[in-house]
């Protein structure tokens, strides 16, 4: 798996999502799969399960990722890449090993994997490489090559889509009593510290993207100056004794209220689509916190199937499909020791690719 000449002539593309339950009966088994080996108390699983039950026990993420996959396939075909573009999940059907076996049975020899996660960390990047590595080990044919592309924070259209969403929100309400909060999925601080080739990439990548977005959006909105903004965190799920990235968005909203802020504009920076951690943690919990304090709350759209994002995403993938690329070297993103597993866990990984 390490001697890959490049991805030119790859004959299948696997679009990999986190997964989600499709019915109430699947909620707790899904959450048990997600948290396996992490020591999450059963009462916490039951609490998170209620978020899904509040919306009928079905996550919206699978339909959203399917729509994104179909749109990507259509754009790639128009760019001249008529290859199978299939959806797979880490934690729910269709599972990564099952999809890879199906592709192998159909004759695929070179498979490209792209995870619908944008930033470097163990859980948002390396774990997907491990999932692919385990799936490869289960194949009967050891000659099949599988590689994973780097995180989507490198796709220019991601920034464009967020700018398009933030600009009108700023134009309508921005003044000295408005703050922009870029919501980032929280991680254990130890995992964040080891993210990326040199460490601390997870927060750094989010902060860099947020800076570029706000720098463009306030000017596009016709404001005289950049409004105050900050990085906040959401969706903590670990044991209380383990430090996670802070501040939590609800705590940040409370602090903003104390400082005289009357309007919060929330940018769901970690998320491509409106899945559960957006519609519950932001649209429900954070919005209710703001409402209880008498603050207005505006949530900017996720990129989803925004053409600005999809066109750029397709072009980005097409370059990997058409050019000869090399495996990453030491100190580069998605190298073998990048984003190490927590608590010394090790699993097989496939190589990523970098620009030649």
């Amino acid at each position: 798996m390490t001697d890959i000449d490049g991805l030119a002539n790859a004959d299948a593309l696997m679009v990999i999502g986190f997964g989600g339950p499709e019915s109430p009966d699947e909620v707790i088994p899904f959450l048990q799969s997600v948290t396996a080996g992490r020591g999450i108390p059963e009462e916490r699983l039951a609490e998170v399960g209620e978020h899904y039950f509040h919306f009928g026990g079905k996550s919206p993420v699978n339909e959203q990722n399917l729509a994104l996959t179909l749109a990507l396939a259509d754009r790639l075909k128009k760019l001249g890449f008529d290859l199978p573009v299939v959806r797979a999940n880490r934690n729910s059907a269709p599972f990564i090993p099952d999809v890879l076996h199906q592709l192998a049975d159909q004759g695929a020899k070179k498979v490209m994997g792209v995870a619908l996660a944008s930033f470097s960390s163990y859980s948002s990047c390396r774990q997907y490489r491990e999932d692919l590595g385990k799936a490869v080990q289960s194949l009967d044919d050891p000659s099949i090559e599988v590689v994973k592309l780097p995180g989507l924070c490198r796709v220019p259209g991601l920034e464009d889509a967020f700018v398009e969403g933030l600009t009108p929100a700023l134009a309508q309400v921005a003044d000295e009593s408005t703050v922009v909060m870029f919501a980032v999925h929280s991680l254990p601080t130890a995992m964040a510290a080891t993210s990326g080739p040199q460490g601390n990439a997870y927060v750094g990548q989010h902060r860099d993207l947020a800076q570029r977005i706000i720098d463009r959006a306030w000017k596009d909105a016709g404001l005289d100056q950049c409004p105050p903004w900050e990085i906040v965190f959401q969706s903590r799920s670990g044991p209380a004794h383990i430090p996670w990235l802070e501040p939590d968005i609800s705590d940040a909203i409370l602090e903003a209220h104390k400082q005289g802020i009357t309007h919060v504009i929330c940018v769901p920076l970690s998320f491509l689509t409106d899945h559960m951690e957006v519609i519950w943690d932001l649209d429900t919990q954070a919005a209710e916190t703001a409402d209880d304090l008498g603050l207005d709350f505006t949530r900017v759209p996720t990129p989803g199937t925004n053409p600005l994002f999809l066109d750029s995403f397709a072009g980005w993938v097409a370059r990997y499909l058409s050019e000869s690329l090399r495996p990453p070297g030491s100190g580069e993103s998605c190298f073998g020791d990048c984003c190490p597993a927590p608590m010394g866990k090790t699993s097989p990984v496939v190589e990523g690719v970098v620009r030649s």
Side-chain angles (χ1 to χ4, degrees):
M1 296 302 301
T2 58
D3 297 325
I4 300 172
D5 294 329
L7 283 177
N9 303 315
D11 44 28
L13 174 65
M14 187 187 301
V15 181
I16 308 169
F18 188 79
E22 289 289 329
S23 69
D25 291 342
E26 295 181 11
V27 170
I28 298 301
F30 165 75
L31 293 175
Q32 290 171 335
S33 172
V34 171
T35 61
R38 292 171 52 191
I40 306 299
E42 287 296 321
E43 56 268 24
R44 174 57 180 164
L45 296 186
E47 178 185 342
V48 175
E50 289 301 320
H51 304 170
Y52 288 91
F53 296 136
H54 181 80
F55 294 97
K58 179 178 179 179
S59 169
V61 72
N62 290 322
E63 290 182 359
Q64 292 168 358
N65 287 352
L66 177 58
L68 194 155
T69 300
L70 293 173
L72 177 62
D74 180 65
R75 281 165 168 77
L76 286 173
K77 188 173 183 179
K78 291 176 180 177
L79 292 172
F81 298 94
D82 191 7
L83 76 168
V85 180
V86 297
R87 182 173 62 96
N89 285 327
R90 173 192 290 172
N91 296 298
S92 66
F95 289 98
I96 293 169
D98 296 334
V99 174
L100 186 58
H101 276 260
Q102 292 171 4
L103 291 173
D105 290 343
Q106 294 166 7
K109 294 296 184 181
K110 277 190 173 184
V111 178
M112 175 192 293
V114 57
L116 297 178
S118 302
F119 303 92
S120 296
S121 76
Y122 174 76
S123 60
S124 60
C125 188
R126 183 188 175 101
Q127 193 171 3
Y128 286 101
R129 290 197 292 137
E130 292 181 348
D131 294 335
L132 287 168
K134 294 172 186 176
V136 170
Q137 286 195 337
S138 70
L139 294 174
D140 295 329
D141 183 357
S143 68
I144 294 176
E145 297 176 345
V146 179
V147 295
K148 177 188 172 297
L149 298 190
L152 302 186
C153 63
R154 298 160 178 81
V155 177
L158 186 67
E159 174 186 330
D160 296 335
F162 278 124
V163 170
E164 183 179 74
L166 177 57
T167 298
L170 288 175
Q172 291 176 15
V173 302
D175 55 32
E176 66 277 2
S177 63
T178 298
V179 64
V180 179
M181 294 186 179
F182 289 91
V184 173
H185 196 299
S186 189
L187 291 180
T189 55
M191 185 185 295
T194 59
S195 59
Q198 286 83 38
N200 296 307
Y202 183 75
V203 174
Q205 289 169 352
H206 278 93
R207 189 171 297 280
D208 289 346
L209 179 58
Q211 184 73 67
R212 297 197 303 271
I213 292 168
I214 195 72
D215 283 348
R216 291 175 55 189
W218 74 264
K219 295 173 185 175
D220 290 350
L223 304 184
D224 294 331
Q225 61 183 1
C226 181
W229 66 276
E230 59 183 308
I231 298 289
V232 299
F233 298 92
Q234 63 170 94
S235 308
R236 176 191 171 123
S237 61
H241 68 279
I242 297 178
W244 280 54
L245 296 170
E246 296 178 336
D248 180 81
I249 185 170
S250 290
D251 293 336
I253 291 172
L254 177 59
E255 184 60 30
H257 172 67
K258 293 177 180 178
Q259 295 176 4
I261 294 295
T262 62
H263 197 119
V264 174
I265 300 176
C266 175
V267 182
L269 195 61
S270 285
F271 307 97
L272 291 181
T273 67
D274 288 5
H275 52 76
M276 189 58 64
E277 286 158 315
V278 174
I279 63 174
W280 177 263
D281 296 359
L282 298 180
D283 294 351
T284 304
Q285 288 188 315
E288 288 179 356
T289 298
D291 185 63
D292 289 344
L293 295 169
L295 276 64
D296 292 323
F297 184 87
T298 300
R299 201 265 289 171
V300 170
T302 51
T305 53
N306 184 316
L308 290 174
F309 169 64
L310 284 176
D311 291 345
S312 181
F313 187 18
W316 184 77
V317 171
R319 287 194 294 274
Y320 284 107
L321 287 168
S322 61
E323 297 180 12
S324 180
L325 302 166
R326 60 180 175 83
S330 180
E332 294 177 322
S333 181
C334 293
F335 183 67
D337 59 3
C338 187
C339 299
M343 297 178 289
K345 295 180 180 179
T346 57
S347 296
V349 295
V350 303
E351 293 294 347
V353 293
V354 296
R355 303 290 300 185
S356 295

